[in-house]
Amino acid sequence: RLLIVDFGSQVTQLIARRLRELNVYCEIHPYQNVTADFVRQMAPKAVIFSGGPDSVTREGSPRVPQEIFSMGLPILGICYGQQVMMHQLGGKVESGHGTAEFGRAYVTRQGQLDLLDGWFAEGPEQVWMSHGDHVSEIAPGFQVYGTSPNAPFAITADPERHFYAVQFHPEVHHTPHGKTLYENFVKLAGFSGDWTMGAYREEAIRLIREQVGDKKVICGLSGGVDSSVAAVLIHEAIGDQLTCVFVDHGLLRKNEAEEVVAMFRDNYNIPLIHADESDLFLGELDGQSDPETKRKIIGKLFIDVFQKHADSIDGAEFLAQGTLYPDVIESVSFSGGPSVTIKSHHNVGGLPEKMGLKLVEPLRELFKDEVRELGRELGLPDSFIGRHPFPGPGLAIRCPGEITREKLAILREADAVYIDQIRKHGLYDEIWQAFVAILPVRTVGVMGDGRTYDFACALRAVTSVDGMTADYFPFSHEFLGETATRIINEVKGINRVTYDVTSKPPGTIEWE
Ligand code: XMP
């Protein structure tokens, strides 16, 4: 395994992700925990020092134990990690003086280095820099292998000891060939690259057992991919010490509640409380048409209801959540940020403190596609794993204006026909999210020889990478025509179909 010493960079997890992509097992540990004894006990095959926000020129700033350099381990230092290496091995690091570099830079080659196999094939390499300090004198034994205009020591190494130090961040997207450096590094360190998601699963199970012991865990199950994978994984680890609570607010899609219950209770034998609270939610929403009011009502009721059912589970000490790594980064960068609230997003944040529960978050280090891979590993069906995201407030935000049971019933049917069309045409996996919104207008139509006066609906389908920005999906006219015909013929209550061609921004994906 490989040890990543975390000095607090925003992108440390990306290093781990790159290594997982190379099928290398790694563990991230905060620098405070990394003592010489710790390293000896862990016995890693190689070490990476992450970047970090501090300055090695500041007294008391983070260091590694000096012995780590005499254990014969290959070491790669990145950004702050590079500076720590230089500083502790006898070089010099300085602050400021106009040599800070943020963003794109180009590194040119200065000699031959095994770490750089495959680099510079087409001239200078684009890299991503983000540093205030810089190395002004390299440590004895090191040589320069790459420079950028503002970083004369962009790549340095002591190949004999397998010490490598780079000023830039090879783990980020904006260093397009960064993965090659990691690949070369792990090869040099003797990794065979045979680690898999199956091994991750075993390790995650071990950690859950260690954290939870013989205590009980509650998991809020939404039917979405993240909470489902978390639930199945935790159940594998601790069996019936886990109880899932599935809050059914009556705003789910056609057959959704039945499918979730069948999957978890019947297929996986996970103890599941199906809290059918639709009367409560729909009652409180009655007559409400303001989007934020609707969201707030649902958010608050959800917490109350979840808590009520959780309280019925005696002696639970942990709350499991399917938090992913991007949620972790976003919640850090969002808190206190200058961003305004576009929509009050519905989640169960704040619940654990309120309920006095500790958190179990086994997916905290993973990205969405890795969670899907883990889900496959756990035997969840592909149709389930590849599902489009579905928002917490459910159909409420796809029913602009007042919500009635009648409208919800129509919406469910129309949505089911639309998704069926998309699947039949093999387009489901090309689309980030697709759904129908039922509009708060009735329009006049003619069917047979009679007049109709029914609801209009809008189809929405977008492509996106992360839901933050999106574009409408370019369906063919044939597809749109056929789908409109099917919806009007098969769904009683709709006589007009429109297609929403707004991108995000300026629109949002959902209608409310
Ligand atoms: P918008 O409509 O803001 O949606 O462009 C971006 C993504 O977030 C989903 N969404 C939500 N997800 N709780 C959720 O869990 C919410 O309150 C919520 N509102 C929107 C939306 O479906 C899309 O994927």
Side-chain angles (χ1 to χ4, degrees):
R1 53 190 154 174
L2 186 148
L3 166 64
I4 300 175
V5 182
D6 186 13
F7 287 114
S9 157
Q10 293 279 314
V11 289
T12 303
Q13 285 291 346
L14 283 177
I15 304 175
R17 158 141 206 172
R18 294 286 96 85
L19 293 168
R20 288 197 293 266
E21 284 169 357
L22 294 164
N23 299 324
V24 167
Y25 177 67
C26 64
E27 284 179 25
I28 298 176
H29 290 279
Y31 71 90
Q32 297 97 324
N33 297 353
V34 180
T35 59
D37 276 343
F38 176 93
V39 181
R40 270 189 287 269
Q41 226 169 43
M42 181 182 172
K45 231 186 221 175
V47 185
I48 293 179
F49 300 161
S50 85
D54 215 323
S55 163
V56 294
T57 61
R58 191 184 65 78
E59 208 172 311
S61 57
R63 296 282 182 275
V64 290
Q66 196 67 31
E67 290 107 299
I68 206 168
F69 296 109
S70 45
M71 294 179 178
L73 294 168
I75 299 177
L76 171 64
I78 292 162
C79 198
Y80 184 87
Q82 175 208 32
Q83 296 166 7
V84 159
M85 265 171 106
M86 289 302 127
H87 181 83
Q88 292 193 232
L89 291 171
K92 245 197 206 137
V93 177
E94 283 176 20
S95 282
H97 304 305
T99 52
E101 242 183 328
F102 294 96
R104 188 176 288 114
Y106 290 88
V107 174
T108 41
R109 180 207 283 277
Q110 300 274 315
Q112 197 63 36
L113 181 68
D114 38 13
L115 183 78
L116 301 172
D117 270 359
W119 262 42
F120 303 115
E122 287 151 29
E125 287 282 345
Q126 180 187 316
V127 300
W128 197 254
M129 295 279 189
S130 178
H131 61 103
D133 295 352
H134 66 282
V135 174
S136 57
E137 206 179 297
I138 48 173
F142 277 76
Q143 267 191 45
V144 181
Y145 291 92
T147 60
S148 80
N150 276 330
F153 303 119
I155 305 171
T156 60
D158 176 346
E160 210 144 285
R161 287 188 285 177
H162 282 327
F163 288 170
Y164 306 93
V166 298
Q167 180 60 79
F168 52 89
H169 288 275
E171 62 277 15
V172 304
H173 186 69
H174 291 93
T175 302
H177 297 144
K179 197 172 160 186
T180 308
L181 289 199
Y182 287 110
E183 199 173 349
N184 292 336
F185 180 68
V186 297
K187 230 191 267 159
L188 289 167
F191 285 93
S192 48
D194 53 6
W195 177 86
T196 59
M197 209 25 112
Y200 189 91
R201 166 193 187 173
E202 296 310 315
E203 181 63 12
I205 287 174
R206 189 184 68 75
L207 290 172
I208 294 165
R209 286 190 183 138
E210 195 177 294
Q211 184 190 4
V212 171
D214 57 3
K215 302 293 187 300
K216 285 190 190 166
V217 180
I218 305 169
C219 179
L221 196 63
S222 68
V225 178
D226 306 341
S227 63
S228 302
V229 172
V232 174
L233 182 69
I234 294 171
H235 188 248
E236 235 184 70
I238 58 168
D240 291 355
Q241 284 163 252
L242 171 73
T243 305
C244 288
V245 177
F246 169 48
V247 175
D248 180 352
H249 46 25
L251 298 159
L252 298 168
R253 289 163 291 189
K254 191 177 175 182
N255 298 334
E256 193 167 11
E258 294 79 359
E259 279 167 20
V260 169
V261 172
M263 163 97 85
F264 291 93
R265 198 183 275 163
D266 307 339
N267 265 17
Y268 279 99
N269 285 318
I270 298 179
L272 173 75
I273 298 177
H274 175 192
D276 180 357
E277 299 280 2
S278 43
D279 288 340
L280 176 68
F281 279 85
L282 298 182
E284 294 273 319
L285 285 167
D286 190 35
Q288 302 291 348
S289 57
D290 176 65
E292 276 302 290
T293 311
K294 284 157 71 176
R295 280 177 171 273
K296 294 231 162 80
I297 290 173
I298 297 167
K300 181 178 173 308
L301 278 184
F302 192 95
I303 291 184
D304 291 350
V305 167
F306 186 85
Q307 193 157 9
K308 181 180 87 188
H309 289 278
D311 284 347
S312 70
I313 303 164
D314 259 353
E317 287 192 17
F318 291 90
L319 179 71
Q321 284 186 342
T323 319
L324 307 192
Y325 184 58
D327 308 332
V328 179
I329 322 182
E330 285 199 358
S331 58
V332 174
S333 56
F334 277 6
S335 60
S339 57
V340 296
T341 305
I342 306 291
K343 300 176 181 182
S344 50
H345 265 226
H346 159 84
N347 57 43
V348 285
L351 251 187
E353 299 92 75
K354 210 172 151 199
M355 298 171 61
L357 296 173
K358 286 171 270 183
L359 276 180
V360 186
E361 296 178 304
L363 312 180
R364 230 184 128 77
E365 292 177 1
L366 300 183
F367 291 76
K368 191 87 181 181
D369 54 330
E370 294 181 304
V371 170
R372 292 202 164 113
E373 203 184 323
L374 180 59
R376 263 179 227 116
E377 183 65 42
L378 290 163
L380 280 158
D382 264 345
S383 58
F384 197 82
I385 284 167
R387 290 216 305 186
H388 293 167
F390 185 66
L395 299 182
I397 59 177
R398 297 176 178 178
C399 189
E402 287 184 24
I403 299 167
T404 63
R405 285 180 192 267
E406 181 205 6
K407 279 200 214 165
L408 287 175
I410 297 172
L411 174 56
R412 279 195 187 98
E413 292 304 319
D415 193 74
V417 173
Y418 180 43
I419 298 299
D420 181 57
Q421 276 287 101
I422 289 174
R423 285 203 189 273
K424 275 200 176 124
H425 283 76
L427 298 172
Y428 191 84
D429 294 337
E430 285 179 42
I431 294 169
W432 163 267
Q433 212 169 358
F435 57 86
V436 176
I438 181 163
L439 305 185
V441 277
R442 284 175 196 261
T443 71
V444 174
V446 51
M447 271 175 101
D449 287 323
R451 174 188 195 265
T452 59
Y453 187 55
D454 284 331
F455 285 107
C457 74
L459 311 181
R460 182 89 165 124
V462 295
T463 54
S464 176
V465 212
D466 50 15
M468 305 293 283
T469 57
D471 203 357
Y472 74 89
F473 187 79
F475 285 125
S476 68
H477 285 279
E478 291 71 29
F479 175 89
L480 289 170
E482 190 183 302
T483 307
T485 306
R486 268 196 69 189
I487 290 176
I488 292 168
N489 285 346
E490 294 174 34
V491 182
K492 198 167 171 317
I494 287 188
N495 69 353
R496 192 173 297 266
V497 175
T498 64
Y499 186 49
D500 178 355
V501 292
T502 320
S503 60
K504 171 183 181 174
T508 53
I509 296 176
E510 303 289 347
W511 272 54
E512 285 193 336

